[in-house]
Amino acid sequence: MGLAVAARIASEFTGRFQLTVFPIILKRLILVRHDPSIALPDLSRLIRMDPALCFLAIRLDRSMASRAKAADSSDIDDVVSRIGLAGIDAITTQVIADQALNGIHHRQGLALEWLWRHCLTTALLAQGLALALDYRPVEDAYTAGLLHDIGKLALFARTPAACAPMLADAVEALPLLKAEEQVAGADHGRIGAQLIHRYTEAWFAADAAMYHTATTAAVVNALPLVQMVWSANRLAVEPHPTSETYQTVARLLGLDSQQLNHLSHAAQEKALMVAKELGDIPDLSETDWTTDTITIPLCQVIKAKTVLSSIYQQLLTASSRGSIMRVLRQSLSVFMGIDALILVDYDSNSNFLIGRFAAGSILPMDVDRLRIPLTASDCLPAISHVSGETVNSFSAAHRRKLTIIDQQLIAYMKKDGILCMPFRSGSDGGRAMLLLGIDAGDWTWVEQQTTLLAAIVAAVAEALERERQRDEQSASRAADRDASTMSKTRKIVHEINNPLSIIKNYLKVLNLRLDDQSSAKNELRIINEEISRVTGLIKSLTSPSERIPVSLDTVDVNATIADLLGLFRESLPGNANIVLKQNLDAHIPAIASDRNRLKQALINLLKNAIESMPDGGTIQVISRMLEAPSRPVGNTETARHIKISVCDDGPGIDESIKNDLFKVNVTSKTGHEGLGLSIVQEAVAHLKGNLLCESTPGRGTCFHIELPTGDNESDNRTALDSAT
């Protein structure tokens, strides 16, 4: 090597630690990573083929765990299992950035094929030697063999592109390697050992890297693993080792040359099979290494990686099914140019695919009206659902056989064709599907992006499944809370009913002791009725329907009003300056109604009026007959109605809350929960009546209850039953 080249190497040699991953393995790893059908062991198999990937995985494993845990197992499969998919993503992101963005070009990486294959062969041969010598754990031998030349990779990763032609041949690369070692101040074995010691717990591999270039005389006194890797390194030379090498290794390990020959050929064959599996490696002999415009095939992978990273980040912050679908719609539009999509779910009860979500340039129609029968087995969605494969209308096989359903879907999406992509949904393994509308002019490009498209759909499917699981867990927790609350409520209701029963019994005793003409008897009757009403309300807390039970009676409206006003007069504080009046129409008929609900409405209105006048005032309750209601309800528009008005001369209702007056928590009174008027509205609705309000600020408020009388008790009973 000329002095000028060595000087250039020295000027460009930096202290930043990088490793070159064989580009074909890196590309395969990224493609496999985003295939939904691939499991973690498939990724592990690729990582254990490449020394740089293996080193990075072990390094990450150490940084993610305690020293003890990281050293528990040197098995690469165990390491990959511990770092998981997130760890693999982190590694590939780092490698892509280093190799594609920092000047280590695709062709330069391919030129190191000889070193990659040598490391893989050495690993396989070291594993074979460990088995032959009954050395345990065997995986240590494989890992040490794979990493023994990691120092060369570290040095070559710092080589400028101008030196790339020398990398294509092991013999030509030696002067370059020596020059780099002079600049680094250490040979590649020592550099590799330092890297392994510094970044991993694989000390056994560090020793193997340190001494794999030692002399024969020195290695005689080494530990067995160092001897095995040293031997494998010499036997892995291409096209085949010399007879002298076989004899040296045979004496060192105590094995015969024939056995070593067999192990060497077996390792070479396995490495060759791996290379064939990865595909043909481009011929580098005609490559112009001096050009600065080298095409980097990894640019598509970088794009896919960047796109997916962006989508993953958005999906992590998506908090609902709707937001997840927005991410999908946006991703397909921005990255794929697809602006028409439909999500369908499989309904096992009907054997239909049913529309759940639609977006983009689609004919206006409620998506849930889209129902695709799977009995129509020749349509593309049915074919995709049954096979679990992605199908499209553009392929020659399907284009000639489009069914009416297919043509309807294409027309519905206003596109030239459709793409059907199934994915797993739900804990029962059910299958949902995306239907994508695509223009004919875009199909060729979309077809080239099917891997990226499948990865996007898989990421969204995972997010939807996580959201479904969160909803199930939330519903389960809510059900547990409800069950616990109901249990406590039942106990409280039971305990409250006991003293109420005792009070009612004492009221009966007191009633028997009173003279029939005593005015107190009527008061006891009212108290007894109120206790019965309280008992009914309490029982409703544990009713499965959470409703107050229907209790129809022949109700004397005027008598009910008079009773309540008497009760309120007796219960008002002595210093309350409240006057209660009544103006009752004597022609009001008795009606079949729910006495408790009517009382509930009137009590809340009276209480509300009293609380609105802390300085005192007048409350008047009026009953009148109406020929027709002010606002018809159901079939009562021609029936006569009773109008009950509760009016006060208080401050009136603020205009700002008038429209929301009957909503829960709406009130103008400090220290009140705003429940009374919402309860009144609910009770009046139960009675098939109207609730109206008139209020003038500074002049008072009137609430009007309009109740149907019905022609007879039967009519009223029917009306009430229909409200429950």
Side-chain angles (χ1 to χ4, degrees):
M1 174 181 291
L3 182 61
V5 174
R8 183 172 180 182
I9 291 172
S11 67
E12 297 186 10
F13 195 97
T14 66
R16 185 172 183 272
F17 166 59
Q18 297 180 12
L19 290 176
T20 302
V21 174
F22 191 48
I24 293 179
I25 292 182
L26 177 60
K27 186 174 181 180
R28 177 69 62 86
L29 176 66
I30 296 172
L31 294 177
V32 170
R33 161 64 183 92
H34 298 294
D35 183 343
S37 64
I38 296 298
L40 204 59
D42 299 297
L43 299 172
S44 177
R45 181 171 177 270
L46 286 170
I47 289 175
R48 63 185 294 119
M49 290 179 184
D50 186 270
L53 286 175
C54 176
F55 178 88
L56 293 172
I58 295 174
R59 174 187 180 184
L60 181 61
D61 181 44
R62 179 197 182 191
S63 68
M64 290 173 62
S66 65
R67 284 178 173 268
K69 183 177 179 181
D72 280 346
S73 172
S74 63
D75 192 311
I76 299 172
D77 293 337
D78 292 341
V79 169
V80 172
S81 178
R82 286 195 292 268
I83 66 174
L85 293 177
I88 294 174
D89 287 342
I91 291 171
T92 52
T93 299
Q94 173 195 340
V95 172
I96 288 173
D98 285 345
Q99 292 190 206
L101 304 180
N102 293 338
I104 302 175
H105 296 296
H106 183 70
R107 288 187 176 89
Q108 184 177 348
L110 290 175
L112 288 172
E113 182 211 358
W114 61 272
L115 180 57
W116 163 73
R117 191 158 56 194
H118 173 74
C119 290
L120 180 59
T121 304
T122 301
L124 292 168
L125 188 48
Q127 185 180 50
L129 292 172
L131 289 171
L133 295 170
D134 197 25
Y135 177 87
R136 295 292 185 275
V138 174
E139 186 63 23
D140 282 3
Y142 181 91
T143 303
L146 192 64
L147 298 181
H148 80 285
D149 260 346
I150 200 74
K152 284 183 181 178
L153 283 176
L155 289 171
F156 285 150
R158 296 165 178 177
T159 304
C163 298
M166 301 179 192
L167 299 179
D169 185 277
V171 176
E172 291 294 326
L174 286 178
L176 171 62
L177 187 62
K178 291 296 183 184
E180 290 179 321
E181 288 176 350
Q182 290 175 7
V183 174
D187 63 77
H188 72 274
R190 187 177 299 276
I191 291 172
Q194 290 173 347
L195 289 175
I196 295 171
H197 266 307
R198 180 178 179 183
Y199 294 108
T200 79
E201 299 292 337
W203 58 268
F204 56 89
D207 288 348
M210 171 74 83
Y211 300 115
H212 78 277
T213 58
T215 63
T216 304
V219 83
V220 168
N221 296 308
L223 292 174
L225 184 61
V226 170
Q227 293 179 337
M228 284 186 288
V229 173
W230 184 90
S231 302
N233 177 54
R234 278 153 180 73
L235 294 175
V237 297
E238 295 180 351
H240 52 76
T242 64
S243 58
E244 183 180 354
T245 300
Y246 276 126
Q247 292 172 7
T248 301
V249 172
R251 286 193 299 270
L252 178 66
L253 300 180
L255 299 172
D256 60 71
S257 297
Q258 185 176 359
Q259 187 177 8
L260 291 175
N261 183 58
H262 173 74
L263 291 173
S264 177
H265 278 86
Q268 297 278 10
E269 287 294 325
K270 287 181 181 178
L272 184 60
M273 289 176 60
V274 170
K276 289 181 178 179
E277 178 186 341
L278 294 174
D280 293 334
I281 298 174
D283 184 4
L284 303 176
S285 60
E286 299 179 0
T287 301
D288 181 7
W289 291 98
T290 62
T291 178
D292 292 329
T293 58
I294 298 176
T295 302
I296 306 176
L298 281 179
C299 63
Q300 290 297 325
V301 176
I302 295 171
K303 175 186 175 182
K305 191 72 177 176
T306 303
V307 168
L308 290 173
S309 296
S310 171
I311 293 172
Y312 290 151
Q313 184 62 37
Q314 293 181 64
L315 290 175
L316 284 174
T317 58
S319 58
S320 65
R321 182 184 176 94
S323 57
I324 292 171
M325 295 309 297
R326 282 194 294 274
V327 173
L328 173 63
R329 180 181 180 183
Q330 174 182 300
S331 301
L332 293 180
S333 176
V334 172
F335 301 121
M336 306 296 298
I338 298 174
D339 60 358
L341 66 99
I342 301 172
L343 174 67
V344 295
D345 278 338
Y346 173 61
D347 181 11
S348 58
N349 294 325
S350 63
N351 201 30
F352 273 75
L353 293 174
I354 300 177
R356 300 300 185 199
F357 177 85
S361 55
I362 294 178
L363 292 175
M365 182 182 81
D366 292 337
V367 69
D368 57 0
R369 293 176 57 192
L370 178 62
R371 300 171 62 86
I372 304 172
L374 291 179
T375 52
S377 57
D378 292 334
C379 72
L380 294 181
I383 293 172
S384 179
H385 175 82
V386 173
S387 67
E389 301 292 334
T390 298
V391 299
N392 67 84
S393 63
F394 295 96
S395 67
H398 291 135
R399 189 167 55 246
R400 295 191 301 269
K401 300 178 181 179
L402 293 182
T403 65
I404 293 177
I405 290 178
D406 298 326
Q407 295 173 19
Q408 286 180 293
L409 288 171
I410 292 170
Y412 177 44
M413 288 197 251
K414 298 194 289 188
K415 295 293 180 179
D416 299 322
I418 57 172
L419 179 68
C420 306
M421 299 191 69
F423 60 88
R424 291 291 176 185
S425 174
S427 58
D428 58 352
R431 186 176 289 137
M433 183 180 300
L434 268 180
L435 307 178
L436 306 176
I438 301 172
D439 289 321
D442 295 334
W443 170 244
T444 300
W445 185 85
V446 171
E447 188 177 25
Q448 293 172 352
Q449 308 296 318
T450 51
T451 299
L452 175 59
L453 181 58
I456 292 174
V457 173
V460 170
E462 290 177 6
L464 289 172
E465 175 61 14
R466 287 195 300 271
E467 182 62 24
R468 184 193 65 79
Q469 291 176 358
R470 281 196 295 266
D471 288 344
E472 285 186 353
Q473 292 169 359
S474 178
S476 177
R477 287 193 295 267
D480 290 342
R481 287 195 301 269
D482 290 344
S484 176
T485 301
M486 181 59 71
S487 177
K488 293 178 181 177
T489 302
R490 285 196 174 101
K491 293 176 182 177
I492 294 171
V493 168
H494 180 269
E495 292 304 312
I496 291 176
N497 279 329
N498 287 336
L500 288 178
S501 297
I502 294 173
I503 293 172
K504 285 178 70 69
N505 288 334
Y506 270 104
L507 288 175
K508 289 180 182 179
V509 172
L510 289 174
N511 189 58
L512 291 173
R513 292 178 180 177
L514 291 174
D515 185 85
D516 290 341
Q517 303 303 318
S518 174
S519 61
K521 278 210 167 194
N522 188 55
E523 295 172 353
L524 290 178
R525 177 185 60 80
I526 295 173
I527 295 173
N528 189 64
E529 288 180 357
E530 288 305 301
I531 292 175
S532 296
R533 193 170 72 85
V534 170
T535 301
L537 289 171
I538 292 173
K539 286 182 178 179
S540 71
L541 294 175
T542 57
S543 172
S545 60
E546 297 181 354
R547 296 173 297 155
I548 299 173
V550 177
S551 178
L552 296 180
D553 296 302
T554 300
V555 179
D556 185 331
V557 175
N558 284 346
T560 301
I561 294 172
D563 285 347
L564 289 178
L565 288 177
L567 192 63
F568 268 85
R569 288 190 187 99
E570 294 296 331
S571 62
L572 285 172
N575 59 352
N577 191 20
I578 299 290
V579 178
L580 296 175
K581 296 182 178 181
Q582 61 189 51
N583 185 351
L584 307 178
D585 186 345
H587 298 92
I588 298 291
I591 60 173
S593 187
D594 187 334
R595 187 190 309 275
N596 287 335
R597 283 297 179 96
L598 179 58
K599 282 186 175 183
Q600 183 183 38
L602 292 173
I603 288 172
N604 275 282
L605 288 178
L606 288 168
K607 183 173 178 289
N608 194 64
I610 292 171
E611 291 173 348
S612 70
M613 300 185 298
D615 298 326
T618 300
I619 299 172
Q620 184 170 223
V621 181
I622 306 166
S623 66
R624 293 289 184 270
M625 287 299 300
L626 295 177
E627 292 301 321
S630 303
R631 186 175 59 205
V633 178
N635 59 359
T636 65
E637 53 191 64
T638 60
R640 293 201 305 163
H641 277 61
I642 298 170
K643 180 178 181 181
I644 305 170
S645 302
V646 180
C647 301
D648 65 64
D649 56 5
I653 297 173
D654 195 303
E655 291 289 338
S656 63
I657 66 171
K658 266 189 175 181
N659 293 333
D660 299 321
L661 196 58
F662 300 113
K663 293 182 179 179
V664 176
N665 298 328
V666 175
T667 181
S668 60
K669 294 174 290 184
T670 304
H672 292 268
E673 296 180 347
L675 297 174
L677 291 179
S678 66
I679 292 174
V680 174
Q681 185 184 50
E682 181 183 339
V684 173
H686 173 83
L687 298 172
K688 284 295 183 179
N690 288 325
L691 178 61
L692 308 171
C693 176
E694 293 178 323
S695 182
T696 303
R699 298 182 60 183
T701 301
C702 280
F703 285 95
H704 307 290
I705 298 174
E706 297 179 352
L707 300 177
T709 60
D711 295 333
N712 51 53
E713 181 180 331
S714 175
D715 291 342
N716 281 285
R717 186 178 298 276
T718 301
L720 286 169
D721 288 345
S722 65
T724 61

